[in-house]
Amino acid sequence: MLRPERMSKVSVTGSKGVMPAVIETIHELNLVHLSDYDGSWQGFDNGNPIEGAENASEKLVTVRALESALELSEEDTAPGTIDDDWEQRLERIRTRINELDDRRSEVRDDLRRVDERIDRVAPFAELGIDLDLLSGYESVDVLVGEGSVEDVEAALEADDDVRAFETFTGGDVVAVVAAPTEDAGEENVVDDALVGVEFARHPVPETEQGPDAYVAELEERKRELESELDEIDAELEGIRDNEGSFLLRVEEELSIEVQRAEAPLQFATSGRAFIAEGWIPAGEYERLVDGLRGAVGDSVEIEQLEVADYEEHEHGAEAHTGSGGNGDGDEPGAETDEAEQPAQPKATDGGHTTGRGSGAVTMDDQPPVILNNITPAKPFELLVKMVGQPKYSELDPTVLVFLTYPFAFGYMIGDIGYGLIYMLMGFGAWKVFDSDAGKALGTIGIWAGAFTMIFGWLYDEMFGIHMEYFVPEGIHHVMSTFLFANTLDKGLQATDWALLWIVFSLVFGLIHLNIGLILGFVNELSHGVEAAVTERLSWIFAMNGLFVWIFSDHLVTQKPEFVANYAVFPEAAGLAALAILGVGVVLVGIGEGIAGVFEVPAWAFGHVLSYLRMVAVLLAKAGMAFAVNLLVFGGYSDHGYTAFNLPTYDVSGYEQEFVGLLWMDPAWIGIPLAILVFVFGHILVLLLGITAAGIQMLRLEYVEFFQKFYEGGGEEYEPFGHEERSAQPQAD
C-alpha cells in the first residue's frame, strides 16, 4: 500500500524476421513498458521504423486535422467501423472538408470587411448628409471626424490659410468644409489647421448613395454572408454526424499502426537480430511468456532480467540481483559478478532460436511506477501527482493523504449543512466530468463533505446554528446522550474550547510530522543507517523532545497558563525529553553541520506551529457563519452566551441584544432580505471554506508533511499497447 507494485525487467531477443510478430503481440498484450535503448552495446544501434510508418503517420495527421476542423470529440461520438475502401472514403471526406473550410474562411473574411465598412459609414449616418456631397471638390477641403466643435472652430479661425469654413454636426460627428486662401499650399488646409486638436478622422466611403441606403445595402450583404456561413456550418455538422464515428475508428487504427511501426526505435538492433527490453508488473511475467510463445513459438528468447528492489540502485547488468529465467518459467539464476561484462547477443535468421548472455542493453532506466492503493484512497493519487509521481524507491503517501486530508478539512469546517452541500458538489463533479482527474476531484469532495458532516454532528451545528435550538428537546436529548451530538464546541464564546483546539491542532501536527519523519527514516535507510539516524531520527528526537518538555510539569510555573493546563507529562518525563532534545540537536549537527543546528527552531518548533492555521480556519469560518446568522435572525443573551432569535425557540424573558432582518418592520421587506442574506451569506462562507480549509490543508500536506520524506519525479507506467475504443459500449 505504501509501496508501488513490484516491477520486473524483461528482455525479448530474436531475429528481425519475427520482429513484426513480436511487436504485434506485445502491443496486443498492453503489458510492457518499453525501455529506450541507450546505445551501450557494441554492434547494436536503435532500430528503424517498419516500412509504411511514414505513410501511416501522414494519414494520422490528416485524420486528426479533420477531427479538429469538425470539433469532434470522443465523448459525444460512438466508435465506428471501417471497410476495405476506407482510404478512398477518407480522401473524399478530406477534400470536401477542405473545400468547406476554405470557403468558410473566405466568407468570414468578407463578413469582416463588411462589418468594417458598416462601422466606417455609421458616423456619416448621424450627419444625415449624402456621401457624394462630402468629396470631389477642388475649391474647398472637406473633413469628417469626431471631436470638440468649439476646438475645431477655434483652430480654423486661427489658421491664416483658411479663408472661410462651415461646420455641420450630428451626434458626436463633425463635418468641416473650408475654403483655403489663394496663397495656401496644395495640402488639405483643414488637416493642417487641426494638427493640435484632438480629432478622430473618418475616411469618406466611395459611393454615391446616401448613408442610410449604403448601410442598408451592406446589411443585406452581411445577411447573405451569414446565411452562407450557416449553410457551411450545417454541412460540416452533417459530415460530423455521418462520418465522425468513421474518423475516430480510422484514427484508432492508424494510431495502433504508427505505434507498432515506430516501436523498433526503442529496440537494440544489429543487421540480423533485435533486443527489446521493458518493465512489467512482476506477477505478469508468465502471461508475457505465454503470449509470445503462442505467437512466435521458440523463435525468441524471453528473459526476466530482474525483479527490482525498492531501494534506490543503478540499473544495469552489473546491478542485477537476479537474471531471469529462460523464458519457460525457470527460476532466476545466480547473481552477476560486478566485474563480469554481459555477453554479446547472438542471433541467426531462418527462424532459429536466438540467445544472449545475462545482462541488459538499457543500463540506466528506472522502473516505472504503478501505485498500489486501496480503492477508497485511489482518488487522492491526484493530490500526490500534483507534486510528482512517486519514485519506485519512495514510499507512496497517497493512503496517508486519504486518512488526513478529509479529516482535517472536516475538523476545520465542521457543519452538517455545509458538509451535505460539499458532498452534493463532489457528486455533481463526479457525474459531470468524464476525465479521471475530474472524477477524482469529485470523490475527494465527497470525502471532505462526509467528514465535514461528521464533525458538524459532533459540534451540533447546521449552517452555523446549534441543532438544540430547532430540534425538539426530547429528540436532541437522545442525539446528545447516545449519538454524541453536541459533544464538541467550536469555542467562539468558550475560551476553554478554543484553547483545546489549539492543543489539538498541535498534537495533530506532531502526529502528522512524526509519520513523515518516520517514512523519511525508512527511505534514508537505503543510503545507510548513519544517514537515516543523522538526517531523520535526529529531527524526531529534537521535535518530540521539545514538545514533550513543553507539555510537562518541569518548570510549569514559568510556562503560559494554557500550556500549564495541558501539562500531561510528569517532571521526570520533561527532564528526559530535554535530554532527548539535546541528543537530537547533536545528531543534527553531526549530519548537517552548524547550519543544521540553527534550523532546529524552525524544524522542531516552527513546523508544528504551522498547524495552528487549522484552528485559525475553524474559528474564522465559525465566526463568519455566526455573523451571517446574527444578521438574519438577531440574537439575545442566554446566560452570558449569544443565541440566535430563531422562530422555533422561545426567547421570552431573555434580553434582546440585536434585532435581525427576519424581525424587521415591515415584514414584507425584512423577510425577503433575511432570506437573501442567509442564502448568499452562507454560499460565501461555503466557498471560502473550500479555499481556506482545502488550500491550507493542502499546504500542510505538501510543505510540512511531504518535505520530510517525499521527492517525486518517478515515471508513470505506460505499457506499449492500446485500449480500443471499439471495445466500449456504443451509444444508441
Side-chain angles (χ1 to χ4, degrees), residues 27 77 101 137 170 233 313 338 350 436 448 532 659 667 728:
H27 190 278
T77 307
D101 197 47
Y137 299 103
D233 289 340
H313 61 288
E338 289 188 5
D436 292 339
V659 178
Q728 302 169 355

Side-chain angles (χ1 to χ4, degrees), residues 123-124 127 143-150 152-153 166-176 199-200 202:
F124 298 94
L127 281 173
L143 192 66
V144 180
E146 295 183 35
S148 169
V149 178
E150 293 78 6
V152 169
E153 292 179 344
E166 186 70 38
T167 59
F168 305 90
T169 60
D172 296 330
V173 182
V174 180
V176 180
F199 190 78
H202 296 306

Side-chain angles (χ1 to χ4, degrees), residues 368-414:
V369 175
I370 305 175
L371 298 183
N372 184 23
N373 290 298
I374 57 175
T375 301
K378 285 188 177 297
F380 291 82
E381 293 174 358
L382 172 69
L383 300 183
V384 174
K385 290 179 180 180
M386 287 172 65
V387 175
Q389 179 85 357
K391 294 179 182 176
Y392 185 76
S393 58
E394 282 185 311
L395 294 171
D396 174 18
T398 299
V399 72
L400 299 172
V401 175
F402 162 65
L403 293 174
T404 56
Y405 186 85
F407 175 88
F409 187 97
Y411 159 69
M412 286 185 271
I413 304 299

Side-chain angles (χ1 to χ4, degrees), residues 470-497:
F470 57 86
V471 174
E473 185 175 354
I475 297 176
H476 190 268
H477 175 73
V478 174
M479 291 166 53
S480 60
T481 304
F482 301 104
L483 301 176
F484 306 107
N486 203 25
T487 300
L488 307 175
D489 194 293
K490 288 186 176 176
L492 285 177
Q493 302 179 74
T495 306
D496 290 343
W497 280 106

Side-chain angles (χ1 to χ4, degrees), residues 704-725:
E704 270 70 32
F705 184 55
F706 280 18
Q707 190 181 82
K708 305 300 181 290
F709 69 98
Y710 187 72
E711 292 181 5
E715 184 178 6
E716 190 165 358
Y717 172 70
E718 294 180 354
F720 176 69
H722 186 78
E723 293 183 4
E724 296 189 7
R725 288 192 293 262

